[in-house]
Amino acid sequence: MLDQAIFYLFAGIAVVSAILTVTRRNAVHSAIFLITALLATAGIFLQLRAEFLFIVQIILYVGGIMVLFVFVIMLVNLDVAVRQMQFARQKWVALLISLALAAQVGLMLWSSRKVPGHGVPVLNAVPADKLPPNTEAVAQSLFSSYLLPFEIASVLLLVAMIGAVVMAKKRT
Amino acid sequence: MTPTGYFLEHLWLIPLFPLVTAALMLLLGRRLPNGAVSVFCVGSVGASFAFALGAVMQLLSAGPENRAAQQILFEWLTPGPMLASNGHLVRFTADWGYLLDPLSCVMVLVVTGVGFLIHIYSIGYMGHEGGYYRFFGYMNLFMFSMLTLVLANNMLLMFVGWEGVGLCSYLLIGFYFLKKSASDAGKKAFIVNRIGDAGFILGILLTAVTFGTIRFTSAGLADVAANSGILQALNGALSAQTLAAGAPVLTTIALLLFVGATGKSAQIPLYVWLPDAMEGPTPVSALIHAATMVTAGVYMVVRMNAIYQLAPLAMDVVAVVGVGTAIFAASMALVQNDIKKVLAYSTISQLGYMFLALGAGAFAAGIFHLMTHAFFKALLFLGAGSVIHAMSGEQDIQKMGGLWNKIPVTAKTFFVATLAIAGIPPLAGFFSKDEILGRAYERHPALWVVGFITAGMTAFYMFRLVFVTFFGYSRADDHAQKHIHESPQTMTIPLVILAVLSVVGGWIGWPPSLGGSNQFEKFLEPVIFSAGSTEAAPQSSPREYLLMLASIAIAVAGIWLAYEFYRAKRFAPELIAGKMRGFYRVLFHKYYVDEIYDALLVNRTKDLGTLLGQFDAKVIDGIGVDGTGWLARFGSTLSMWWDKWIIDGLLNFGAKLTQLLSFPIRFLQTGTFSTYALLILIGLAILLAYYQQHLHVVLRGAR
Amino acid sequence: MHIPFLRALTDYLQGDGAVILPEIELTLFGLGILLIDFTLGVRERYLNAGLALAGTAFSAYTVWKLRLPVAVNGSLLGFHDSVIVDPFFLFFAALFLSATALVILLSVKFLDIEQEQEGEYYALLLFACVGMMFMASGFDLIVIFLGLETMALSFYVLTGFLRREKRSNEASLKYVLLGAFSSGILAYGFSLLYGLSGSTNIDTIGETLGQRNAFVTSLLHNPQSAPPQFDPFLLQMLPVLAFVLVAVGLFFKIAAVPFHQWAPDVYEGAPTPVTIFVSVASKTASFALLLRLFLVVFGATHVNWMYLVAGIAVASLTWGNLAALTQTNVKRLLAYSSISHVGYVLLGLVAGNKTAMTGIGYYLLAYIFMTAGAFAILIVLRQKGLIGEELEDLNGLYQRSPASALLLLIFMLSLAGIPPTAGFMGKYFIFLSLIETKHPILALFAVLYIVPALYYYFRIVVHAWLKAPGEAPRPVMSNAQAVALSVAAFVTLAAGLYPEPFTRLAQYALGR
Amino acid sequence: MLPIGHYLFLGLALFIIGAIGVVTRRNVIVILMSIELILNAVNINLVAFSRLYGDVAGQVFALFIIADAAAEAAVGLGIVIAFFRNRETVLEDEMDLLKW
Amino acid sequence: MDFFANHILSAVLFTPLVGAILLLLIPRQLELAHRIGGNIFGVLGFLVSLPLVVWWKPGVEAFSFQENFSWIPSIGARYHLGIDGISLLLVMLTTFLGMIAILSSWSAIHQRTKEYYILLLLLQTGMIGVFVSLDFFLFYVFWEVMLVPMYFLIGVWGSDRRLYAAIKFFLYTLAGSVVMLLAILALYFYAPVAPGGTRTFDVPTLLAAAQHFSDPLRAWLFWGFFFAFAIKVPMFPFHTWLPDAHTEAPTAGSVILAGVLLKMGTYGFIRFSLPLLPADGPIRSNIVKIVIVLSLIAIVYGALVCLMQKDMKRLIAYSSVSHLGFCTLGIFALTPNGLAGSVLQQINHGISTGALFLIVGVLYERRHTRLISEFGGLATPMPNFAAIYLIISLSSLGMPLLNGFIGEFTILQGAFQVSKAWAAWGTVGVILGAAYLLWLYQRVMFGPVTLPVNERLPDLNFREMATLVPLVFMAFWIGIYPKPFFSLIEKPVQRIVEQVNPNFYQMERAKLPPAGFPAAAVEAK
């Protein structure tokens, strides 16, 4: 019961603020609403007993990425951008098509609900008390079975770093 | 026993002499002096005449039943096994071989003899012309081809000669190739002949598949069984009842071959080339277009007489075409003013006579007339040439006249020839023509009537020619007047010899009814196929005398009429012409046949060519090639401007739609990036829809 | 040795480390470049290139050594089955490394001309290569995804590496936006895959999907075997969704119609060596990934998605060939031609039998070298003050530099698929496989598209050979370029004249 | 937890919204944000499934996706800055040098 | 020497290639060196091919001088060469015409001499390869390779619309040959494999296997090959590339194009298409009907189009369409005579038309125009030229004692045995042939010299004589004594007919009466 309440609350926030994100004229406002959406998602994570991810979401996204965004928005002079038109002229067609796609996929998901377990092999989730303490578990698998992705991620981030530097570096 | 002897074993030398000299002339004749040229060329023809004589003598030494000498030099065309019409496989071979039998005896003698005389004549006639060596080279080449034609032992080799003479006539007609009319005439002659040749080839092919061989006969060969000939095969088929007289295949063969004959021998409908051929030098007209080449058709039909005799229908066709041509050409000859044109038409008409004879089954008579005609027509042409020579190139008889005393030899010999062709006994023409008419009567009186009228017309136009040319006052301009002179001896001597021949030449065929014993016919007996039913019916001699008298009468009448018109001038021909102007004009324009042919066939063919060329350029290339190219380019432009036309079109449509829904829309140019992104979404949607639908069909087995 | 660290290191390298040793080496060399780059003066920057080459060489050697254990026991798994080393990987690793080496060789002079001789450039090349290798060797969705992203990010940066170039910026911006979007879609698909199997190991995923498919087919044959709510169609809903999402993500990476539109822009805008890298390496890597996923994960449902792929293939052939017909920019033209090549390879995937696999391998091999060669000619043309990317810039190349004109001809013939060149052999296998699997119509399509292809390839040849030269300078070829070109030409010709070893190689990698 | 369908729909919703943002917005920065939304949707799926299966693989995956999102954002924004330096704009439809 | 004897075909095949490579090494400034080198290797190519004739013995096995080495074992493609009588003739024609073509371009080519000779030699190798390879894969490779040098010969040294003509030629031929590739692959795939054996591209094996295919399959394969060959020949609807290519190509190019390239199509028909014909039945008879009708259309059509041409080369090009129509007619008559005649006619066409193109080239070098209206009355300034031109025209229009007649007559004979109507239509072509060739000759050579330019035209020089006289000689040889040629191709032709049209030999298999029949007929007289 509580679960549901929490879920719907956060889900509602997430969706609404997501919509606002893509509809606000002002990029700063979009950023703000994006943060809201991400926070709501974090709430969902929590509802799903993924505490570690919840933290990461808040720290990394909200703390890191969004700061970057806002920073860049400030860098590129905003007031001009705001005054320009914010939506591509094809927006209606685009909207139409996106919604059609949404309907299509939604229908697939909806129709597959008839299948037990929504078409997913397991019928119902492990009871919450059977779950291992989340952070340890994540750490466990991160450094045992997902060691390699961890290493690759370092390379990935290195590349990102180099890239950002190369790109943003003042021209010599 | 088959006749043997040096000459018979070296038959191949007869055509070889002219060939060698011809090659000599054409390769390095330019460096030779005229004297040497004439010695070589005339000498070579003389040599082959001598060899021909020798060969004939040695042949005559044998008994009549096996008077045939045949020798195969090598296998020429051996394309491998051929499926004959009776389901046998035969190893088809066309060998390079020569056959001398009575028929080819006559031909080879006529060709070499007359040819020899004409060569001599040409020395004088062509003396002043440029390209002397070229002329004689062509003439010798012609002799070679003609001899190959008459000596060939199979149809294909005969065809070689056939085409060869055609080529030489093309070259010689076009000898003055600077004159467009000349080269045109040459081309016309060749192409018209070519049409006939097509028929000939088909005839050969049909013969080949029907009889499995194209060798005329195996007579005179060492191993008769090994390589049999048409004659033997035909007999075999008859005895085996696989073929009967009048079998359609035989008729087809006969008719196809006859198409070839009409081409070469200038019969309706393919005679049109011969009058134009008079563009050539006069000796050429004499040799090729009077004495020898044009008679090739006759010779060929006689060669294949076995088949013709078994194809009555074809015989009728031959007879009708022959007689038709005879009168048709004669009528045209009535009004011509060009001396050579008159002779040309008379040649056509005489050839018509020969075919009439063949059609009537009188093969010997046909050959007989061929020979006599060779004599007097050659004489006439050479005489005409001498006249033209005297008149310094003038050919229109209306500009001549009163030459009788100025060029006596020419005039007298010409007169003899005229008598001969008019059929006045006892000159050569009389016997041959009379025999033809007689046999024609037996075949069908109508044939005789037409031939009879033609005889009269012949007498008329020939004497018209004589009177207008040689008698009366001269109508030539005085410049020409001064130069009138008798031709040199090289030209007159042949005239005299030919004149003698035109007189006595006919006597070897002195008919029994006049106490003679038609030697000529007996001589040709062996080569005339006798299986057919056309036995020479014992004729009641009174009727024969009647016919004889009639033909003499009509000839005299024609002569008298010509005299009244053109000598005594008792009636003016202009009046007649005036009275029936239309008919006269038609005659004068030779029935407009050339024009009709041009309008109906020649130009239409050219138009077709143009049309098809256009078709290539426009349709096949236009639609086929460039069309696809265009399509590709179009397609690429399409996909290139996919954004602009499709996406934007979609957008505009959406915009319009939303506008209709009264949503304010500001038009700005499309954002490329979002277009791409949108395309990705669309693709995603499409793939999803497709895959879902596909699985729906597969898994629900529906739709 | 008693130093524990070294002990650990050697243990590691005998154990799991062995399977990722090539990647490790490349990474180390990349780091090394970044380190020494600061110490180098502007004149010595080319040493970076040398170092990068050395890196590829080492890595290549390691790959070569790895073939022995692979030969012994089929394939090596490591890191809890999250990475695999098998002939497939070895083959593609070799391709990536050679492509990288070619690009490095071709970059040096180009960057000098552009005055962008930076160490980061080569480092990024190597990291991209690492990413590709993980794409080929990854046996776990996470590894694959990270490898893909590593490659992609490096490419975004490399594409925009000429920061002064407006077109370069624009290309990289489009690339990064679209690329991120598409990898978002791909990730969405991956998440569904995880959901369907509860595992990120593609082998497990493949098995689960296979079982599901088997279950569905059993349902089809006797519907009574399960309760009615197990509707076979609905059971396939999520797999379908997953498949389409993954497919779209991958089709985007290989630039198949209609997900191709980034390719021409990026190819045109990127610095030409990077264009080579994108068009050759990233495409090959994406194909490696696509093959791995389609065959291992979705192999069971091949008959179902066969026609979907066929449709994409024909679309790519049509669009690529037609659009290329009227291009005037050579890089753009080659971009469209590369789209049509994608069509051919996908047709091989449609056929999907042994021959087809060999063909795909052969085609990709040939494609790498001939495309690299074709672009390399443009790099040779790039001089101070001459971009040399338009068709007109090629005019009279024959008079200006016969050698490069000849090479250009060879590459064009190979791209068009005229024997005796590598391109023909690749097409040969594809066509044969189509005939073997009874797809004559597709085969006819594929074959006939050679004709327009030849037309536009020969537009290039016409300009290079038959047009009069303008006042353009004679291009001068640096040694590095000469080496790269001759290698490319050699492979292109050798694989056409004596295909035997290359065929064996392709069979070794894929033909099983 | 709730039946998995809820989470799937939530993920779908965010995904589509993000997609809409990508295809409709002109400001590239906002487009990048929309992409972040999409990745977020992915994360929701992953975490939900991992909860369903009761193993943390999904969460680890989500972790890496977050890292990747960060990396993409960094590079993307860097490129945006470079672009902006040259063109004084951040509107995607003014990227019109490269076209057919 | 022994090695040479065992690898004679390879020697013939690669001599020109070696030449090309050597020329590649000579710096381009030394134009003369290139000319000489090119000619040396042209002659050498011919000399090397002579032993084929000398050592030729009508062997028991189908193909002589075979060489068979492994090439691509993994797909079963081998380096397998071998020739029978037919290919021997064509190879000789190729080397012979190649030599002449190279010689003919001594003074015609002034720019890019080096590449010109290299390309000619490459082309030579390609063409020989097509005729000698007995492995489908190898065959296809040569078939395609040969396109490239030809493309450049037209495209670089051609006249005004060369680019269009060159690419048209290339695309046309390519479109055909890619379909053929599919057919080859299908043949390769459907041929049964011996247990434990691998697939093979070996021509005799595959063609033998094809005999057991179902009729529809064979029909499909036939059409697959048909397009490639029909375009190459070219047959009626596919012929439009020919006039353009011929017209634009340089003289040597036209000579090779007309002399050899077109023969690849007919050769392909004989070697590959015929064995693939379905077994006797409605399908097969329909196919044959279609092809024959196309050939007849080509014969008449080409001849008619010739009548309206204003450009000499174009006219001759269309005459090739007509003549090749004869060849295909003979081939698909499926009788020994038809096939033999067709093969011989291919050689004849190579000689006559090649010579005609040389002749046009002679005029073009002097006047740089090919318009008929530009000439007229040339017989006066150029007598030798006139003579040779006349002989060649005659040989081309089928004058007896010249080569053309032999071929045409034999073909007609072959067709006549099957259907009289076919032969009849063929003769129409014969008539028209005389018309357009003589008309052309008259317009060019006869009459007064119309243009002052033409008054001083020099007659043939020694080199041009050297190029033309051998052809004239060959024309006479074939025309007067064709027996050696026929005996050369008799065996292979028989083999083909036995395979394709077995019931031709059903009748009277046992005895071949020498000529005329029944033998009883003789004593019946």
Side-chain angles (χ1 to χ4, degrees), chain B residues 39-86:
Chain B
V39 170
F40 275 123
C41 299
V42 182
S44 66
V45 180
S48 32
F49 178 54
F51 270 69
L53 266 181
V56 172
M57 290 309 157
Q58 287 175 346
L59 192 73
L60 287 175
S61 67
E65 65 288 344
N66 47 23
R67 274 187 192 149
Q70 188 169 179
Q71 62 174 164
I72 295 175
L73 299 186
F74 59 86
E75 287 189 338
W76 171 43
L77 185 52
T78 57
M82 173 189 69
L83 176 59
S85 57
N86 65 347

Side-chain angles (χ1 to χ4, degrees), chain C residues 142 149 153 163-164 166 169-170 172-174 177 180-181 183 187-188 191 194-196 198 265 332 336, chain D residues 12 35 38 42 45-46 49-50 53 55 58 64 68 71-72 79 83 86-87 95-100:
Chain C
I142 304 179
E149 282 306 311
L153 285 179
R163 287 173 324 225
R164 299 183 199 71
K166 286 189 168 51
N169 301 135
E170 180 175 329
S172 66
L173 188 47
K174 278 181 186 173
L177 291 176
F181 184 37
S183 43
Y188 196 70
S191 71
Y194 170 66
L196 282 168
D265 293 0
R332 218 178 168 82
Y336 283 111
Chain D
L12 174 63
I35 293 173
I38 293 178
V42 174
N45 275 0
L46 285 171
F49 283 128
S50 89
Y53 287 103
D55 81 324
F64 284 118
D68 170 62
E72 258 175 9
I79 294 176
F83 181 75
N86 270 345
R87 306 279 290 275
M95 302 188 279
D96 51 8
L97 283 182
L98 302 163
K99 58 161 76 89
W100 298 93

Side-chain angles (χ1 to χ4, degrees), chain E residues 221-343:
Chain E
L221 290 174
F222 175 87
W223 287 120
F225 279 93
F226 175 81
F227 285 107
F229 300 143
I231 287 174
K232 200 76 163 180
V233 166
M235 294 187 76
F236 158 59
F238 314 111
H239 63 282
T240 50
W241 65 268
L242 184 73
D244 290 313
H246 271 321
T247 316
E248 303 307 324
T251 304
S254 308
V255 173
I256 295 290
L257 198 53
V260 186
L261 255 67
L262 306 190
K263 309 309 179 302
M264 295 184 177
T266 43
Y267 172 78
F269 276 136
I270 295 177
R271 172 79 71 242
F272 305 120
S273 292
L274 288 190
L276 289 176
L277 272 177
D280 216 341
I283 307 180
R284 178 232 197 86
S285 58
N286 287 336
I287 290 179
V288 170
K289 272 202 204 72
I290 294 171
V291 181
I292 291 281
V293 167
L294 287 183
S295 320
L296 292 175
I297 292 177
I299 293 176
V300 179
Y301 189 96
L304 282 174
V305 176
C306 284
L307 289 173
M308 57 78 71
Q309 294 306 324
K310 298 168 181 53
D311 180 316
M312 297 177 78
K313 266 189 159 182
R314 226 180 161 71
L315 192 154
I316 299 168
Y318 271 109
S319 80
S320 306
V321 174
S322 182
H323 286 130
L324 269 297
F326 270 103
C327 292
T328 42
L329 172 63
I331 293 174
F332 283 90
L334 303 178
T335 54
N337 294 357
L339 270 171
S342 170
V343 174

Side-chain angles (χ1 to χ4, degrees), chain C residues 314-360:
Chain C
V314 171
S316 310
L317 279 174
T318 313
W319 196 328
N321 280 319
L322 291 187
L325 280 173
T326 47
Q327 298 301 328
T328 56
N329 178 303
V330 180
K331 283 165 86 174
R332 218 178 168 82
L333 192 157
L334 290 175
Y336 283 111
S337 90
S338 78
I339 291 173
S340 71
H341 287 296
V342 168
Y344 281 113
V345 181
L346 284 181
L347 280 179
L349 188 61
V350 173
N353 62 358
K354 191 170 177 302
T355 323
M357 288 304 132
T358 319
I360 292 177

Side-chain angles (χ1 to χ4, degrees), chain C residues 354-409:
Chain C
K354 191 170 177 302
T355 323
M357 288 304 132
T358 319
I360 292 177
Y362 207 105
Y363 204 107
L364 290 173
L365 192 155
Y367 174 80
I368 282 189
F369 287 95
M370 58 197 189
T371 314
F375 279 113
I377 300 290
L378 295 182
I379 297 181
V380 174
L381 275 181
R382 177 74 170 95
Q383 305 291 331
K384 282 241 177 294
L386 169 66
I387 305 294
E389 292 175 2
E390 292 296 315
L391 275 173
E392 281 65 28
D393 301 335
L394 285 168
N395 281 1
L397 174 62
Y398 173 72
Q399 283 86 344
R400 281 148 57 197
S401 151
S404 42
L406 183 61
L407 291 172
L408 183 67
L409 174 63

Side-chain angles (χ1 to χ4, degrees), chain E residues 187 190-192 204-218 221 275-279 499:
Chain E
L187 188 56
Y190 283 106
T205 322
L206 285 186
L207 291 184
Q211 298 308 310
H212 310 304
F213 288 178
S214 71
D215 279 357
L217 177 55
R218 275 157 84 175
L221 290 174
L276 289 176
L277 272 177
Q499 188 187 16

Side-chain angles (χ1 to χ4, degrees), chain B residues 79-83 87-91, chain E residues 334-337 339 489-512:
Chain B
M82 173 189 69
L83 176 59
H88 290 256
L89 278 187
V90 284
R91 180 162 300 289
Chain E
L334 303 178
T335 54
N337 294 357
L339 270 171
I489 54 186
E490 186 172 5
K491 271 265 175 298
V493 163
Q494 183 183 351
R495 200 172 276 113
I496 291 169
V497 175
E498 274 167 351
Q499 188 187 16
V500 178
N501 190 4
N503 47 4
F504 179 88
Y505 284 102
Q506 287 318 308
M507 30 217 112
E508 296 282 316
R509 198 78 198 77
K511 67 178 195 309
L512 288 179

